[in-house]
Amino acid sequence: MTSTHPAQVVEELSRQKALEVADRIMGGSEIVKDYDVVIGADTVVAADHQILGKPADHEDAAGMIRMLQGRIHQVYTGVTLIVRNKSGEVRTRTFHECTDVDVCPMTEEEISAYIDTPEPYDKAGAYGIQGSFGIYIKGIHGCYYNVVGLPISRLVHELRDLQQEFC
């Protein structure tokens, strides 16, 4: 991957995931439905033009939360749809969604208490909006479900449009 821009990174990662799965399940010539759909997605958190993935350890998680607390950052999710119609033709659509997240100021004690839970360690940016970190979210501008990891409304509309055009 050559890009460091979060939107391009998540689109490329989602495409790689979707293509890997599609290759496994669509590789055969037999189609058992009217169409097959593969959805690949990947999410990153970005602050100060820096992409924050999943924290490597306790210290990394604390650093990420310190960076995000008291300010607005962005969450990007890339989604790739791969659709095969009953004729065997394949189409791909890739898009991304970006949501601004405003995090309340946090004390060192609050940061320490949060990173002592198991929650931060499997999430980009070291937090889950849907978990206990939700009490520190001052507000969002954009899609809540994008911050969770999959922009459901956009996904449904993109998939519907692709199916109407193609299937």
Side-chain angles (χ1 to χ4, degrees), residues 33-76:
K33 304 178 214 114
D34 289 340
Y35 60 89
D36 292 317
V37 177
V38 172
I39 301 168
D42 202 87
T43 301
V44 298
V45 171
D48 291 335
H49 307 290
Q50 180 182 353
I51 293 175
L52 305 177
K54 296 177 183 177
D57 54 30
H58 197 80
E59 186 177 313
D60 196 25
M64 288 183 191
I65 298 300
R66 282 187 196 103
M67 176 185 266
L68 299 176
Q69 65 86 29
R71 57 184 294 204
I72 296 172
H73 66 277
Q74 291 69 45
V75 176
Y76 291 84

mmCIF file of all heavy atoms in Angstrom, residues 33-76:
data_model
loop_
_atom_site.group_PDB
_atom_site.id
_atom_site.type_symbol
_atom_site.label_atom_id
_atom_site.label_comp_id
_atom_site.label_asym_id
_atom_site.label_seq_id
_atom_site.Cartn_x
_atom_site.Cartn_y
_atom_site.Cartn_z
ATOM 1 N N LYS A 33 -27.505 -19.108 -6.298
ATOM 2 C CA LYS A 33 -28.547 -18.114 -6.083
ATOM 3 C C LYS A 33 -28.652 -17.252 -7.335
ATOM 4 O O LYS A 33 -27.915 -17.437 -8.290
ATOM 5 C CB LYS A 33 -28.187 -17.217 -4.890
ATOM 6 C CG LYS A 33 -27.921 -17.935 -3.617
ATOM 7 C CD LYS A 33 -27.527 -16.924 -2.561
ATOM 8 C CE LYS A 33 -26.522 -17.513 -1.641
ATOM 9 N NZ LYS A 33 -25.252 -17.108 -1.517
ATOM 10 N N ASP A 34 -29.576 -16.287 -7.280
ATOM 11 C CA ASP A 34 -29.672 -15.333 -8.384
ATOM 12 C C ASP A 34 -28.445 -14.446 -8.461
ATOM 13 O O ASP A 34 -28.093 -13.945 -9.503
ATOM 14 C CB ASP A 34 -30.930 -14.459 -8.240
ATOM 15 C CG ASP A 34 -32.202 -15.245 -8.506
ATOM 16 O OD1 ASP A 34 -32.120 -16.305 -9.151
ATOM 17 O OD2 ASP A 34 -33.260 -14.786 -8.058
ATOM 18 N N TYR A 35 -27.812 -14.215 -7.320
ATOM 19 C CA TYR A 35 -26.583 -13.423 -7.288
ATOM 20 C C TYR A 35 -25.822 -13.740 -6.006
ATOM 21 O O TYR A 35 -26.377 -14.237 -5.037
ATOM 22 C CB TYR A 35 -26.865 -11.925 -7.389
ATOM 23 C CG TYR A 35 -27.730 -11.387 -6.284
ATOM 24 C CD1 TYR A 35 -27.172 -10.931 -5.107
ATOM 25 C CD2 TYR A 35 -29.119 -11.352 -6.411
ATOM 26 C CE1 TYR A 35 -27.963 -10.439 -4.085
ATOM 27 C CE2 TYR A 35 -29.919 -10.872 -5.384
ATOM 28 C CZ TYR A 35 -29.326 -10.420 -4.227
ATOM 29 O OH TYR A 35 -30.105 -9.941 -3.215
ATOM 30 N N ASP A 36 -24.535 -13.471 -6.027
ATOM 31 C CA ASP A 36 -23.674 -13.614 -4.856
ATOM 32 C C ASP A 36 -23.171 -12.229 -4.476
ATOM 33 O O ASP A 36 -22.902 -11.401 -5.352
ATOM 34 C CB ASP A 36 -22.456 -14.489 -5.169
ATOM 35 C CG ASP A 36 -22.827 -15.944 -5.425
ATOM 36 O OD1 ASP A 36 -23.656 -16.481 -4.671
ATOM 37 O OD2 ASP A 36 -22.277 -16.534 -6.369
ATOM 38 N N VAL A 37 -23.011 -11.983 -3.189
ATOM 39 C CA VAL A 37 -22.503 -10.702 -2.699
ATOM 40 C C VAL A 37 -21.420 -10.967 -1.661
ATOM 41 O O VAL A 37 -21.591 -11.784 -0.771
ATOM 42 C CB VAL A 37 -23.619 -9.859 -2.032
ATOM 43 C CG1 VAL A 37 -23.058 -8.565 -1.471
ATOM 44 C CG2 VAL A 37 -24.746 -9.585 -3.003
ATOM 45 N N VAL A 38 -20.311 -10.242 -1.802
ATOM 46 C CA VAL A 38 -19.254 -10.241 -0.799
ATOM 47 C C VAL A 38 -19.080 -8.804 -0.337
ATOM 48 O O VAL A 38 -19.043 -7.883 -1.163
ATOM 49 C CB VAL A 38 -17.923 -10.775 -1.370
ATOM 50 C CG1 VAL A 38 -16.788 -10.574 -0.372
ATOM 51 C CG2 VAL A 38 -18.048 -12.243 -1.746
ATOM 52 N N ILE A 39 -18.974 -8.622 0.978
ATOM 53 C CA ILE A 39 -18.764 -7.300 1.553
ATOM 54 C C ILE A 39 -17.464 -7.342 2.352
ATOM 55 O O ILE A 39 -17.311 -8.166 3.248
ATOM 56 C CB ILE A 39 -19.930 -6.900 2.482
ATOM 57 C CG1 ILE A 39 -21.241 -6.904 1.713
ATOM 58 C CG2 ILE A 39 -19.652 -5.534 3.121
ATOM 59 C CD1 ILE A 39 -22.476 -6.798 2.601
ATOM 60 N N GLY A 40 -16.547 -6.449 2.012
ATOM 61 C CA GLY A 40 -15.311 -6.292 2.769
ATOM 62 C C GLY A 40 -15.306 -4.913 3.392
ATOM 63 O O GLY A 40 -15.731 -3.950 2.755
ATOM 64 N N ALA A 41 -14.824 -4.788 4.623
ATOM 65 C CA ALA A 41 -14.794 -3.485 5.290
ATOM 66 C C ALA A 41 -13.573 -3.382 6.192
ATOM 67 O O ALA A 41 -13.086 -4.397 6.712
ATOM 68 C CB ALA A 41 -16.065 -3.269 6.110
ATOM 69 N N ASP A 42 -13.093 -2.153 6.358
ATOM 70 C CA ASP A 42 -12.006 -1.892 7.285
ATOM 71 C C ASP A 42 -12.161 -0.474 7.820
ATOM 72 O O ASP A 42 -12.585 0.422 7.089
ATOM 73 C CB ASP A 42 -10.643 -2.055 6.626
ATOM 74 C CG ASP A 42 -9.558 -2.326 7.652
ATOM 75 O OD1 ASP A 42 -9.360 -3.504 7.988
ATOM 76 O OD2 ASP A 42 -8.938 -1.364 8.129
ATOM 77 N N THR A 43 -11.816 -0.283 9.092
ATOM 78 C CA THR A 43 -11.993 1.008 9.758
ATOM 79 C C THR A 43 -10.683 1.458 10.388
ATOM 80 O O THR A 43 -9.962 0.645 10.967
ATOM 81 C CB THR A 43 -13.074 0.885 10.853
ATOM 82 O OG1 THR A 43 -14.298 0.459 10.252
ATOM 83 C CG2 THR A 43 -13.297 2.202 11.575
ATOM 84 N N VAL A 44 -10.402 2.758 10.256
ATOM 85 C CA VAL A 44 -9.265 3.360 10.964
ATOM 86 C C VAL A 44 -9.723 4.646 11.622
ATOM 87 O O VAL A 44 -10.704 5.267 11.213
ATOM 88 C CB VAL A 44 -8.046 3.655 10.046
ATOM 89 C CG1 VAL A 44 -7.498 2.380 9.436
ATOM 90 C CG2 VAL A 44 -8.360 4.700 8.998
ATOM 91 N N VAL A 45 -8.982 5.039 12.637
ATOM 92 C CA VAL A 45 -9.165 6.314 13.314
ATOM 93 C C VAL A 45 -8.002 7.205 12.885
ATOM 94 O O VAL A 45 -6.869 6.727 12.769
ATOM 95 C CB VAL A 45 -9.178 6.102 14.845
ATOM 96 C CG1 VAL A 45 -9.143 7.426 15.591
ATOM 97 C CG2 VAL A 45 -10.407 5.297 15.251
ATOM 98 N N ALA A 46 -8.276 8.479 12.624
ATOM 99 C CA ALA A 46 -7.220 9.404 12.207
ATOM 100 C C ALA A 46 -7.270 10.675 13.048
ATOM 101 O O ALA A 46 -8.342 11.242 13.276
ATOM 102 C CB ALA A 46 -7.377 9.750 10.735
ATOM 103 N N ALA A 47 -6.093 11.098 13.493
ATOM 104 C CA ALA A 47 -5.949 12.350 14.236
ATOM 105 C C ALA A 47 -4.642 12.991 13.796
ATOM 106 O O ALA A 47 -3.614 12.304 13.711
ATOM 107 C CB ALA A 47 -5.937 12.087 15.743
ATOM 108 N N ASP A 48 -4.695 14.265 13.501
ATOM 109 C CA ASP A 48 -3.492 14.984 13.039
ATOM 110 C C ASP A 48 -2.846 14.283 11.843
ATOM 111 O O ASP A 48 -1.628 14.141 11.789
ATOM 112 C CB ASP A 48 -2.461 15.118 14.169
ATOM 113 C CG ASP A 48 -2.924 16.046 15.265
ATOM 114 O OD1 ASP A 48 -3.752 16.932 14.996
ATOM 115 O OD2 ASP A 48 -2.457 15.868 16.404
ATOM 116 N N HIS A 49 -3.654 13.825 10.928
ATOM 117 C CA HIS A 49 -3.187 13.143 9.711
ATOM 118 C C HIS A 49 -2.436 11.852 10.018
ATOM 119 O O HIS A 49 -1.708 11.343 9.176
ATOM 120 C CB HIS A 49 -2.318 14.070 8.854
ATOM 121 C CG HIS A 49 -2.981 15.377 8.558
ATOM 122 N ND1 HIS A 49 -4.072 15.484 7.716
ATOM 123 C CD2 HIS A 49 -2.729 16.623 9.011
ATOM 124 C CE1 HIS A 49 -4.445 16.737 7.669
ATOM 125 N NE2 HIS A 49 -3.656 17.459 8.440
ATOM 126 N N GLN A 50 -2.596 11.339 11.213
ATOM 127 C CA GLN A 50 -1.949 10.088 11.613
ATOM 128 C C GLN A 50 -3.016 9.016 11.772
ATOM 129 O O GLN A 50 -4.021 9.229 12.454
ATOM 130 C CB GLN A 50 -1.197 10.287 12.935
ATOM 131 C CG GLN A 50 -0.504 9.052 13.438
ATOM 132 C CD GLN A 50 0.196 9.294 14.775
ATOM 133 O OE1 GLN A 50 0.281 10.406 15.272
ATOM 134 N NE2 GLN A 50 0.685 8.231 15.379
ATOM 135 N N ILE A 51 -2.791 7.869 11.145
ATOM 136 C CA ILE A 51 -3.724 6.751 11.259
ATOM 137 C C ILE A 51 -3.427 5.974 12.526
ATOM 138 O O ILE A 51 -2.275 5.610 12.792
ATOM 139 C CB ILE A 51 -3.622 5.825 10.029
ATOM 140 C CG1 ILE A 51 -4.115 6.563 8.784
ATOM 141 C CG2 ILE A 51 -4.419 4.545 10.249
ATOM 142 C CD1 ILE A 51 -3.939 5.794 7.495
ATOM 143 N N LEU A 52 -4.479 5.744 13.307
ATOM 144 C CA LEU A 52 -4.354 4.970 14.536
ATOM 145 C C LEU A 52 -5.044 3.631 14.322
ATOM 146 O O LEU A 52 -6.258 3.574 14.163
ATOM 147 C CB LEU A 52 -5.000 5.704 15.711
ATOM 148 C CG LEU A 52 -4.522 7.136 15.981
ATOM 149 C CD1 LEU A 52 -5.308 7.739 17.129
ATOM 150 C CD2 LEU A 52 -3.039 7.155 16.259
ATOM 151 N N GLY A 53 -4.281 2.575 14.329
ATOM 152 C CA GLY A 53 -4.847 1.235 14.209
ATOM 153 C C GLY A 53 -5.192 0.692 15.575
ATOM 154 O O GLY A 53 -5.483 1.445 16.514
ATOM 155 N N LYS A 54 -5.113 -0.616 15.721
ATOM 156 C CA LYS A 54 -5.335 -1.239 17.019
ATOM 157 C C LYS A 54 -4.067 -1.072 17.853
ATOM 158 O O LYS A 54 -2.959 -1.215 17.342
ATOM 159 C CB LYS A 54 -5.657 -2.716 16.837
ATOM 160 C CG LYS A 54 -6.957 -2.958 16.085
ATOM 161 C CD LYS A 54 -7.198 -4.428 15.853
ATOM 162 C CE LYS A 54 -8.462 -4.623 15.031
ATOM 163 N NZ LYS A 54 -8.693 -6.035 14.718
ATOM 164 N N PRO A 55 -4.220 -0.780 19.135
ATOM 165 C CA PRO A 55 -3.029 -0.581 19.967
ATOM 166 C C PRO A 55 -2.250 -1.885 20.155
ATOM 167 O O PRO A 55 -2.836 -2.960 20.291
ATOM 168 C CB PRO A 55 -3.595 -0.079 21.291
ATOM 169 C CG PRO A 55 -4.999 -0.559 21.318
ATOM 170 C CD PRO A 55 -5.462 -0.626 19.888
ATOM 171 N N ALA A 56 -0.946 -1.748 20.174
ATOM 172 C CA ALA A 56 -0.069 -2.905 20.352
ATOM 173 C C ALA A 56 -0.030 -3.374 21.806
ATOM 174 O O ALA A 56 0.128 -4.563 22.080
ATOM 175 C CB ALA A 56 1.340 -2.568 19.884
ATOM 176 N N ASP A 57 -0.175 -2.429 22.735
ATOM 177 C CA ASP A 57 -0.064 -2.765 24.156
ATOM 178 C C ASP A 57 -0.706 -1.653 24.997
ATOM 179 O O ASP A 57 -1.273 -0.696 24.455
ATOM 180 C CB ASP A 57 1.393 -2.975 24.552
ATOM 181 C CG ASP A 57 2.291 -1.792 24.184
ATOM 182 O OD1 ASP A 57 1.809 -0.638 24.151
ATOM 183 O OD2 ASP A 57 3.489 -2.026 23.926
ATOM 184 N N HIS A 58 -0.571 -1.787 26.294
ATOM 185 C CA HIS A 58 -1.148 -0.859 27.276
ATOM 186 C C HIS A 58 -0.659 0.575 27.034
ATOM 187 O O HIS A 58 -1.449 1.519 27.009
ATOM 188 C CB HIS A 58 -0.737 -1.352 28.670
ATOM 189 C CG HIS A 58 -1.520 -0.802 29.799
ATOM 190 N ND1 HIS A 58 -2.757 -1.279 30.161
ATOM 191 C CD2 HIS A 58 -1.233 0.194 30.680
ATOM 192 C CE1 HIS A 58 -3.197 -0.620 31.203
ATOM 193 N NE2 HIS A 58 -2.299 0.287 31.543
ATOM 194 N N GLU A 59 0.633 0.729 26.849
ATOM 195 C CA GLU A 59 1.231 2.046 26.644
ATOM 196 C C GLU A 59 0.732 2.684 25.341
ATOM 197 O O GLU A 59 0.435 3.879 25.292
ATOM 198 C CB GLU A 59 2.755 1.912 26.613
ATOM 199 C CG GLU A 59 3.481 3.232 26.539
ATOM 200 C CD GLU A 59 4.991 3.034 26.594
ATOM 201 O OE1 GLU A 59 5.464 2.274 27.460
ATOM 202 O OE2 GLU A 59 5.667 3.645 25.750
ATOM 203 N N ASP A 60 0.626 1.878 24.293
ATOM 204 C CA ASP A 60 0.134 2.360 23.002
ATOM 205 C C ASP A 60 -1.321 2.816 23.122
ATOM 206 O O ASP A 60 -1.707 3.871 22.606
ATOM 207 C CB ASP A 60 0.273 1.243 21.961
ATOM 208 C CG ASP A 60 0.165 1.726 20.534
ATOM 209 O OD1 ASP A 60 0.450 2.918 20.258
ATOM 210 O OD2 ASP A 60 -0.187 0.899 19.669
ATOM 211 N N ALA A 61 -2.145 2.038 23.834
ATOM 212 C CA ALA A 61 -3.558 2.398 24.036
ATOM 213 C C ALA A 61 -3.664 3.719 24.802
ATOM 214 O O ALA A 61 -4.448 4.601 24.430
ATOM 215 C CB ALA A 61 -4.297 1.293 24.786
ATOM 216 N N ALA A 62 -2.862 3.874 25.842
ATOM 217 C CA ALA A 62 -2.890 5.114 26.632
ATOM 218 C C ALA A 62 -2.503 6.308 25.768
ATOM 219 O O ALA A 62 -3.137 7.370 25.843
ATOM 220 C CB ALA A 62 -1.962 4.997 27.837
ATOM 221 N N GLY A 63 -1.486 6.144 24.941
ATOM 222 C CA GLY A 63 -1.055 7.225 24.055
ATOM 223 C C GLY A 63 -2.141 7.626 23.069
ATOM 224 O O GLY A 63 -2.339 8.825 22.804
ATOM 225 N N MET A 64 -2.834 6.634 22.525
ATOM 226 C CA MET A 64 -3.916 6.933 21.584
ATOM 227 C C MET A 64 -5.036 7.695 22.269
ATOM 228 O O MET A 64 -5.539 8.698 21.738
ATOM 229 C CB MET A 64 -4.449 5.643 20.963
ATOM 230 C CG MET A 64 -3.530 5.008 19.973
ATOM 231 S SD MET A 64 -4.314 3.539 19.246
ATOM 232 C CE MET A 64 -2.919 2.819 18.398
ATOM 233 N N ILE A 65 -5.455 7.236 23.440
ATOM 234 C CA ILE A 65 -6.547 7.904 24.151
ATOM 235 C C ILE A 65 -6.131 9.317 24.541
ATOM 236 O O ILE A 65 -6.917 10.269 24.411
ATOM 237 C CB ILE A 65 -7.006 7.089 25.376
ATOM 238 C CG1 ILE A 65 -7.561 5.726 24.943
ATOM 239 C CG2 ILE A 65 -8.044 7.861 26.190
ATOM 240 C CD1 ILE A 65 -8.760 5.768 24.017
ATOM 241 N N ARG A 66 -4.885 9.496 24.980
ATOM 242 C CA ARG A 66 -4.407 10.854 25.302
ATOM 243 C C ARG A 66 -4.466 11.754 24.067
ATOM 244 O O ARG A 66 -4.790 12.929 24.161
ATOM 245 C CB ARG A 66 -2.976 10.797 25.830
ATOM 246 C CG ARG A 66 -2.873 10.371 27.254
ATOM 247 C CD ARG A 66 -1.451 10.495 27.788
ATOM 248 N NE ARG A 66 -1.333 9.727 29.012
ATOM 249 C CZ ARG A 66 -0.749 8.532 29.103
ATOM 250 N NH1 ARG A 66 -0.165 7.985 28.050
ATOM 251 N NH2 ARG A 66 -0.724 7.902 30.245
ATOM 252 N N MET A 67 -4.138 11.203 22.915
ATOM 253 C CA MET A 67 -4.162 11.980 21.668
ATOM 254 C C MET A 67 -5.588 12.384 21.283
ATOM 255 O O MET A 67 -5.818 13.472 20.765
ATOM 256 C CB MET A 67 -3.538 11.167 20.532
ATOM 257 C CG MET A 67 -3.604 11.854 19.185
ATOM 258 S SD MET A 67 -2.978 10.804 17.869
ATOM 259 C CE MET A 67 -1.298 11.353 17.824
ATOM 260 N N LEU A 68 -6.559 11.498 21.554
ATOM 261 C CA LEU A 68 -7.938 11.732 21.114
ATOM 262 C C LEU A 68 -8.760 12.545 22.110
ATOM 263 O O LEU A 68 -9.699 13.247 21.706
ATOM 264 C CB LEU A 68 -8.637 10.393 20.866
ATOM 265 C CG LEU A 68 -8.004 9.501 19.786
ATOM 266 C CD1 LEU A 68 -8.735 8.168 19.720
ATOM 267 C CD2 LEU A 68 -8.000 10.193 18.443
ATOM 268 N N GLN A 69 -8.442 12.475 23.389
ATOM 269 C CA GLN A 69 -9.269 13.128 24.410
ATOM 270 C C GLN A 69 -9.226 14.646 24.244
ATOM 271 O O GLN A 69 -8.216 15.223 23.869
ATOM 272 C CB GLN A 69 -8.841 12.689 25.813
ATOM 273 C CG GLN A 69 -7.453 13.083 26.245
ATOM 274 C CD GLN A 69 -7.378 14.461 26.854
ATOM 275 O OE1 GLN A 69 -8.326 14.971 27.456
ATOM 276 N NE2 GLN A 69 -6.236 15.100 26.689
ATOM 277 N N GLY A 70 -10.389 15.248 24.477
ATOM 278 C CA GLY A 70 -10.487 16.701 24.434
ATOM 279 C C GLY A 70 -10.484 17.304 23.050
ATOM 280 O O GLY A 70 -10.284 18.511 22.912
ATOM 281 N N ARG A 71 -10.734 16.504 22.016
ATOM 282 C CA ARG A 71 -10.690 17.045 20.654
ATOM 283 C C ARG A 71 -11.526 16.221 19.680
ATOM 284 O O ARG A 71 -12.044 15.177 20.017
ATOM 285 C CB ARG A 71 -9.257 17.120 20.178
ATOM 286 C CG ARG A 71 -8.566 15.767 20.221
ATOM 287 C CD ARG A 71 -7.138 15.866 19.843
ATOM 288 N NE ARG A 71 -7.079 16.244 18.448
ATOM 289 C CZ ARG A 71 -6.073 16.013 17.647
ATOM 290 N NH1 ARG A 71 -5.008 15.429 18.105
ATOM 291 N NH2 ARG A 71 -6.101 16.352 16.399
ATOM 292 N N ILE A 72 -11.582 16.703 18.473
ATOM 293 C CA ILE A 72 -12.315 16.026 17.395
ATOM 294 C C ILE A 72 -11.311 15.268 16.532
ATOM 295 O O ILE A 72 -10.232 15.782 16.221
ATOM 296 C CB ILE A 72 -13.095 17.049 16.544
ATOM 297 C CG1 ILE A 72 -14.173 17.732 17.397
ATOM 298 C CG2 ILE A 72 -13.716 16.379 15.319
ATOM 299 C CD1 ILE A 72 -14.867 18.900 16.713
ATOM 300 N N HIS A 73 -11.677 14.039 16.177
ATOM 301 C CA HIS A 73 -10.887 13.240 15.246
ATOM 302 C C HIS A 73 -11.833 12.598 14.233
ATOM 303 O O HIS A 73 -13.049 12.774 14.317
ATOM 304 C CB HIS A 73 -10.066 12.180 15.989
ATOM 305 C CG HIS A 73 -10.918 11.154 16.655
ATOM 306 N ND1 HIS A 73 -11.488 11.349 17.902
ATOM 307 C CD2 HIS A 73 -11.336 9.926 16.253
ATOM 308 C CE1 HIS A 73 -12.192 10.292 18.233
ATOM 309 N NE2 HIS A 73 -12.134 9.410 17.244
ATOM 310 N N GLN A 74 -11.293 11.869 13.279
ATOM 311 C CA GLN A 74 -12.106 11.256 12.235
ATOM 312 C C GLN A 74 -12.019 9.732 12.305
ATOM 313 O O GLN A 74 -10.965 9.170 12.617
ATOM 314 C CB GLN A 74 -11.655 11.710 10.837
ATOM 315 C CG GLN A 74 -11.947 13.160 10.535
ATOM 316 C CD GLN A 74 -11.117 14.116 11.352
ATOM 317 O OE1 GLN A 74 -9.909 13.941 11.508
ATOM 318 N NE2 GLN A 74 -11.755 15.130 11.918
ATOM 319 N N VAL A 75 -13.139 9.098 11.965
ATOM 320 C CA VAL A 75 -13.193 7.650 11.795
ATOM 321 C C VAL A 75 -13.577 7.386 10.349
ATOM 322 O O VAL A 75 -14.592 7.903 9.857
ATOM 323 C CB VAL A 75 -14.217 6.999 12.754
ATOM 324 C CG1 VAL A 75 -14.322 5.500 12.483
ATOM 325 C CG2 VAL A 75 -13.836 7.268 14.205
ATOM 326 N N TYR A 76 -12.750 6.602 9.666
ATOM 327 C CA TYR A 76 -12.969 6.255 8.270
ATOM 328 C C TYR A 76 -13.240 4.761 8.163
ATOM 329 O O TYR A 76 -12.513 3.955 8.747
ATOM 330 C CB TYR A 76 -11.720 6.529 7.430
ATOM 331 C CG TYR A 76 -11.378 7.973 7.236
ATOM 332 C CD1 TYR A 76 -10.649 8.671 8.197
ATOM 333 C CD2 TYR A 76 -11.751 8.650 6.082
ATOM 334 C CE1 TYR A 76 -10.308 10.001 8.019
ATOM 335 C CE2 TYR A 76 -11.416 9.979 5.893
ATOM 336 C CZ TYR A 76 -10.703 10.650 6.868
ATOM 337 O OH TYR A 76 -10.364 11.959 6.672
#
